[in-house]
Amino acid sequence: MQKNSKKNFMVTGFLFLFFLLFTVLIKTIDVKPVGPNQSEIGFSSLNLFLFDFFGVNLLWYNITNCLGGIAILFAFGFAVAGLCQLIKRKHILKVDFGILAMGGLYVLVVFFYVFFELVIINYRPILMDAELEASYPSSHIMLTVSIMAAAALQFHQLFGNKLALLIAAEGFCILLIAGMLIGRLLSGVHWFTDIAAGVLLASALVMLYYSVVKRMEELQDISDCHQ
């Protein structure tokens, strides 16, 4: 394996390990029943301070729900692009590998979403419809950062020779991610550590996507040199 590939996969493994360690710390450090219905949260002093500082703003909650919907539309667009390539080229291996890898990324995002709905680490700092809801990691953060960061990487392949279009596409991705991060924090529907964990898990998933794509590009280059 090329040195760059090893480095990429090592960074990926480190990010997943860091997320796992962060999750363990959430369950062990400064854990107090300070949430709704005496639900427990780790790093409670930090989380309570930031929750009280920003408060609750359900307008931002609704805005970030819309931003999450836009991210899903991007994912749907890439899925449609992959399907069109499959129909046109008549073989799944002829579909652009970057798009295939994005499909794998989306599967992992759904997997972690379902997993943390079943394995509850902590609940939201507020009741939603008078019920406790799972809150760790923030699924909207994980989804939006994963989809839009991967989209920005894919835009380099699509618009590499069109600088203005690339800047506009990447700028939109960055704005959407920033809007989601800021909006979710201001909304008050997550503890700060839920948001941090969402960013961390999404970073690990995107790094895995990037590592796989780069490794396939290396293998393709080696194959071309031998022909």
Side-chain angles (χ1 to χ4, degrees):
M1 185 180 291
Q2 298 285 330
K3 184 180 293 187
N4 286 340
S5 286
K6 288 182 179 180
K7 182 180 178 181
N8 290 337
F9 282 108
M10 285 178 64
V11 172
T12 300
F14 172 78
L15 288 171
F16 276 112
L17 185 61
F18 191 22
F19 170 76
L20 178 60
L21 176 61
F22 187 72
T23 304
V24 172
L25 294 177
I26 287 292
K27 299 297 291 182
T28 55
I29 294 181
D30 193 20
V31 179
K32 293 180 182 178
V34 295
N37 297 345
Q38 297 298 296
S39 57
E40 294 184 339
I41 178 66
F43 295 102
S44 58
S45 298
L46 172 64
N47 277 314
L48 272 177
F49 172 77
L50 292 174
F51 177 74
D52 291 339
F53 181 81
F54 289 109
V56 177
N57 188 325
L58 294 182
L59 174 61
W60 275 109
Y61 172 72
N62 292 325
I63 290 173
T64 52
N65 282 344
C66 292
L67 295 179
I70 293 173
I72 290 174
L73 287 177
F74 267 75
F76 180 75
F78 280 110
V80 171
L83 179 60
C84 290
Q85 287 186 8
L86 176 61
I87 293 172
K88 183 178 180 180
R89 300 173 185 177
K90 297 182 173 60
H91 198 292
I92 192 168
L93 294 180
K94 293 183 179 180
V95 175
D96 291 349
F97 186 78
I99 293 180
L100 288 178
M102 289 182 85
L105 172 66
Y106 300 156
V107 169
L108 286 175
V109 168
V110 172
F111 168 80
F112 280 109
Y113 173 84
V114 174
F115 179 82
F116 284 108
E117 286 292 314
L118 299 175
V119 181
I120 297 175
I121 305 301
N122 58 251
Y123 294 97
R124 293 184 188 273
I126 63 173
L127 297 175
M128 305 297 290
D129 298 324
E131 297 287 340
L132 288 172
E133 289 188 1
S135 185
Y136 181 97
S138 169
S139 56
H140 274 70
I141 296 292
M142 177 185 65
L143 180 147
T144 302
V145 174
S146 296
I147 292 176
M148 300 312 298
L153 292 173
Q154 185 63 24
F155 287 146
H156 272 274
Q157 300 294 325
L158 297 175
F159 307 137
N161 298 323
K162 301 174 182 177
L163 184 59
L165 193 55
L166 176 59
I167 291 174
E170 284 194 333
F172 182 83
C173 292
I174 292 171
L175 286 175
L176 191 65
I177 291 173
M180 178 60 75
L181 291 173
I182 295 170
R184 217 59 179 175
L185 183 62
L186 295 177
S187 70
V189 298
H190 286 291
W191 300 108
F192 172 76
T193 48
D194 301 332
I195 295 171
V199 172
L200 185 55
L201 180 55
S203 298
L205 291 171
V206 173
M207 191 64 201
L208 177 60
Y209 163 79
Y210 176 80
S211 301
V212 171
V213 170
K214 286 300 179 182
R215 179 55 181 164
M216 289 304 299
E217 289 178 356
E218 288 178 358
L219 292 175
Q220 184 62 49
D221 289 341
I222 293 171
S223 176
D224 292 341
C225 288
H226 289 166
Q227 288 179 359

